Amino acid sequence: MTKLKIIAGATASGKTSAAVQLAQKIDGEVVSADSMQVYRHMNIGTAKPTKAEMGGIPHHLLDVVDPSEPFSVAEYQTLAVAAIKDIQARGKTAILAGGTGFYINAVLNGVDFSTVVHENEFALRKHFTEVAKEKGAEYLHSLLAEKDPVHAAIIHANNVKRVARALAYCESTGKLFSEYNARQKTRQPLFHADFYVISMPRETLYSRINARTLAMFEGGLEGEVRGLLKQGYHEALAPMQGIGYKEVIKFLKNEYTKDETISAIQQSTRNYAKRQETWFRHQAPTARLIYKEDVLWQQ
């Protein structure tokens, strides 16, 4: 079977251009792995590729839902896997490209969300975190030791986040988190993949982020946000709280000046990029690092 190609990396690192360049070379099609580009009407602030930037290459999983519609990683997984299989069935190579690591992991490793995500699990995580604040980390760990001693044995009591997650899973499903972990370790990847992560000096990446933010404003980001609000997409919607959108909303409410808005977007984007780099470093340690200075696909 043709291998899946994955091009990942931080925001503004040049994933789209790299994916298009590769697709043109190997007769491929791009499947987006971006949690914001799935939303219709949100183009500038999400850095959604234009037709010119697509270079004639078909792109999938863009403009999937309206900003007011709920959309989960499980739904993304279903659509992305179907798109990849369709591309491969037509004799072409699928290129999964984006910076949302959780989406990429869901596709590559076939995470079973029917046993992971439950309606009240996140509320329970918050509850157990509060319990730890009130009664201490050792007490919270003792609760896990009662419910799931196998899993408790491999988590330090001070790791409240992991302890709370395990307890929330046990409480919401009635099952043991240790059993879930064991199942995940034996799961086979859905696809064999060549995994590339774009890397560059941080100062270079930050400079690209700052420049792109200015370009977004020059390209009409303010008007895009005004249009979304006029269409009835409330500022409290999750997509409207995305980087770029929430800051412009504050600008429109006279809470920020234009310069403050641009600066806030740049800072939030830099922080996000740093988190992305950390995620890929830890979650995709075997991925090949590639550099924008390289003529990558002509090697």
Side-chain angles (χ1 to χ4, degrees):
M1 179 182 291
T2 304
K3 278 189 175 181
L4 172 69
K5 307 291 186 182
I6 301 175
I7 299 179
T11 186
S13 61
K15 298 179 294 296
T16 295
S17 61
V20 168
Q21 184 183 4
L22 176 59
Q24 291 170 337
K25 185 176 180 64
I26 64 172
D27 192 23
E29 297 185 12
V30 175
V31 179
S32 172
D34 187 297
S35 61
M36 288 295 291
Q37 292 182 359
V38 298
Y39 294 107
R40 303 184 189 103
H41 318 301
M42 304 182 82
N43 303 319
I44 299 170
T46 65
K48 193 177 295 176
T50 63
K51 284 188 176 181
E53 289 169 335
M54 291 180 189
I57 299 298
H59 280 60
H60 305 264
L61 273 294
L62 301 176
D63 300 321
V64 176
V65 293
D66 284 341
S68 58
E69 296 178 83
F71 189 75
S72 69
V73 63
E75 291 171 294
Y76 169 82
Q77 180 194 59
T78 299
L79 294 174
V81 169
I84 291 167
K85 289 183 176 179
D86 174 66
I87 293 166
Q88 293 178 336
R90 290 185 279 107
K92 296 179 179 290
T93 300
I95 303 167
L96 187 65
T100 304
F102 197 32
Y103 276 19
I104 293 172
N105 182 56
V107 171
L108 182 60
N109 295 314
V111 178
D112 183 1
F113 291 101
S114 66
T115 61
V116 178
V117 180
H118 297 267
E119 184 177 356
N120 62 341
E121 186 174 333
F122 292 108
L124 284 168
R125 289 187 198 184
K126 184 177 180 180
H127 164 72
F128 285 121
T129 301
E130 292 300 318
V131 170
K133 289 179 181 178
E134 181 182 344
K135 298 187 177 181
E138 291 286 349
Y139 173 78
L140 190 72
H141 191 265
S142 71
L143 296 180
L144 181 60
E146 291 177 8
K147 286 183 174 291
D148 191 346
V150 172
H151 195 63
I154 64 173
I155 303 179
H156 194 281
N158 290 339
N159 196 332
V160 171
K161 183 177 181 180
R162 288 185 62 194
V163 173
R165 180 193 176 199
L167 277 167
Y169 176 85
C170 293
E171 188 74 20
S172 63
T173 66
K175 300 175 182 178
L176 300 180
F177 196 81
S178 57
E179 294 177 352
Y180 161 72
N181 256 359
R183 288 195 301 273
Q184 292 302 309
K185 289 178 180 178
T186 60
R187 293 182 68 87
Q188 295 298 313
L190 285 181
F191 301 98
H192 294 292
D194 292 325
F195 201 144
Y196 303 95
V197 175
I198 296 177
S199 179
M200 64 184 63
R202 185 159 289 174
E203 60 270 19
T204 303
L205 178 62
Y206 284 2
S207 177
R208 290 170 63 93
I209 288 170
N210 293 343
R212 191 177 72 175
T213 302
L214 291 173
M216 284 178 174
F217 263 83
E218 293 171 0
L221 178 59
E222 178 187 338
E224 178 169 280
V225 176
R226 286 185 185 276
L228 287 162
L229 293 170
K230 188 175 181 179
Q231 290 179 71
Y233 297 117
H234 193 272
E235 64 181 84
L237 291 170
M240 297 292 281
Q241 288 298 304
I243 296 173
Y245 293 92
K246 61 182 177 182
E247 292 86 357
V248 171
I249 288 171
K250 288 185 177 182
F251 168 66
L252 296 177
K253 294 166 69 175
N254 296 316
E255 295 178 19
Y256 280 166
T257 65
K258 182 176 180 178
D259 287 344
E260 287 172 338
T261 304
I262 292 171
S263 179
I265 294 172
Q266 290 172 331
Q267 182 62 59
S268 293
T269 308
R270 292 193 299 267
N271 292 343
Y272 176 53
K274 187 175 181 179
R275 293 194 301 271
Q276 287 175 299
E277 289 183 321
T278 299
W279 195 95
F280 287 117
R281 186 165 58 249
H282 291 288
Q283 300 297 324
T286 61
R288 175 184 170 188
L289 292 179
I290 57 177
Y291 303 90
K292 289 303 292 178
E293 292 77 8
D294 296 344
V295 185
L296 176 63
W297 311 123
Q298 296 179 13
Q299 294 177 357

